[in-house]
């Protein structure tokens, strides 16, 4: 039972480059989420999806794009990475939106 | 929107002692309050949760209490062990955001052997 996985686990990129972080879950959960975790800010919601082809903004969506063509996948794209997007990114999934299960995270560094 | 405050930001206890972490929330419509444990280099792990129709919930050495009137909830860990050392996050539903979670800032718990 793989649960929820994220790839890559570590990524270093340069300012202005496009980066896509992948999230895959095997539970067929309806809801999926992307958070970023920074020192002093805890976990902040970037985007979430209630079902395939349905996405909505969270607290800090600027500079990010998401899509959800399949229930099990929820990729997060930084179209033009900036240094302020250096962070640890967590994906989560949930049956109903409240009880959320998190992936292992992707540590992204933007130089 | 919802605002969740968590205290203390760091907590150091001796092995075997109890630890208490407190959170307050602002949205009276919130009805779900989970607690997550995050170990170094890992994702947050759900350890216990409580819904607004319950005042207290226990699971072995951990318990959560909820005071809806005062809008605060607490995590209690008894007989702490070194493996309890981690960062703990509380969260509450955001009534105006489709029941999404808003997280507190986290508490770093250190259990000294």
């Amino acid at each position: 039972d793989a649960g929820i996985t994220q790839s890559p686990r570590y990524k270093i990129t340069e300012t202005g480059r496009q980066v896509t972080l992948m999230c895959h879950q095997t539970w067929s959960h309806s809801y999926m989420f992307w958070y970023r975790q920074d020192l002093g800010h805890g976990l902040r919601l970037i985007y979430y999806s209630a079902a395939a082809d349905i996405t909505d903004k969270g607290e800090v969506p600027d500079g990010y794009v998401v899509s959800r063509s399949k229930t099990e996948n929820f990729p997060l794209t930084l179209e033009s990475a900036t240094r302020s997007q250096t962070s640890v990114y967590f994906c989560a999934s949930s049956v109903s939106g409240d009880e959320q299960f998190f992936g292992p995270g992707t540590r992204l560094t933007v130089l | 929107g919802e605002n969740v405050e968590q205290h203390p930001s760091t907590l150091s206890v001796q092995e075997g002692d109890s630890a208490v972490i407190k959170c307050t929330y602002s949205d009276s419509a919130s009805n779900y309050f989970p607690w997550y444990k995050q170990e170094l280099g890992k994702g947050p792990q759900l350890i216990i949760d409580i819904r607004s129709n319950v005042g207290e919930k226990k699971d072995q050495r951990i318990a959560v209490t909820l005071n809806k009137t005062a809008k605060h909830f607490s995590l209690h860990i008894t007989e702490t062990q070194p493996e309890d050392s981690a960062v703990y996050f509380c969260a509450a539903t955001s009534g105006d955001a489709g029941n999404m979670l808003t997280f507190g800032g986290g508490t770093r718990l250190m259990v000294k052997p």
Side-chain angles (χ1 to χ4, degrees):
Chain A
D1 183 1
I4 184 166
T5 57
Q6 294 183 234
S7 61
R9 295 294 315 278
Y10 302 91
K11 177 73 176 179
I12 299 174
T13 191
E14 295 178 337
T15 301
R17 290 192 180 268
Q18 183 179 83
V19 177
T20 296
L21 309 184
M22 303 301 293
C23 179
H24 176 78
Q25 53 105 357
T26 60
W27 294 310
S28 298
H29 285 171
S30 294
Y31 285 82
M32 295 187 75
F33 309 84
W34 274 107
Y35 292 90
R36 61 178 289 172
Q37 185 174 40
D38 306 288
L39 280 174
H41 290 281
L43 286 153
R44 292 184 291 174
L45 182 64
I46 304 171
Y47 269 97
Y48 67 99
S49 168
D53 297 321
I54 300 174
T55 62
D56 211 343
K57 296 178 180 179
E59 180 186 354
V60 288
D62 293 345
Y64 303 95
V65 175
V66 294
S67 61
R68 194 161 176 215
S69 58
K70 292 184 178 181
T71 300
E72 61 266 31
N73 297 323
F74 191 37
L76 175 74
T77 297
L78 290 67
E79 292 192 306
S80 178
T82 65
R83 289 195 180 91
S84 64
Q85 292 177 309
T86 292
S87 187
V88 181
Y89 291 85
F90 288 101
C91 178
S93 71
S94 171
V95 171
S96 58
D98 49 18
E99 190 176 359
Q100 298 182 19
F101 298 92
F102 284 77
T106 293
R107 183 175 294 276
L108 176 68
T109 301
V110 182
L111 302 176
Chain B
E2 177 69 277
N3 183 48
V4 179
E5 299 282 342
Q6 183 172 346
H7 299 282
S9 57
T10 60
L11 179 60
S12 181
V13 300
Q14 208 65 38
E15 182 178 359
D17 288 349
S18 295
V20 180
I21 303 170
K22 299 181 179 180
C23 288
T24 60
Y25 61 98
S26 61
D27 188 349
S28 56
S30 291
N31 57 10
Y32 176 70
F33 308 91
W35 285 89
Y36 287 83
K37 175 183 181 182
Q38 187 176 25
E39 297 175 334
L40 195 62
K42 297 184 178 180
Q45 177 190 6
L46 180 66
I47 56 172
I48 195 168
D49 56 15
I50 192 168
R51 298 189 184 273
S52 59
N53 58 347
V54 176
E56 183 176 5
K57 184 177 180 180
K58 289 183 180 180
D59 184 3
Q60 299 182 348
R61 294 186 297 108
I62 60 173
V64 57
T65 58
L66 172 65
N67 183 327
K68 288 190 295 180
T69 303
K71 289 191 281 189
H72 67 71
F73 57 112
S74 300
L75 177 71
H76 305 254
I77 306 174
T78 59
E79 300 173 18
T80 54
Q81 301 168 3
E83 50 265 39
D84 293 330
S85 296
V87 178
Y88 292 81
F89 291 94
C90 64
T93 52
S94 303
D96 62 351
N99 226 34
M100 297 301 107
L101 292 176
T102 298
F103 285 82
T107 296
R108 181 173 299 279
L109 173 65
M110 295 170 284
V111 180
K112 300 177 182 177

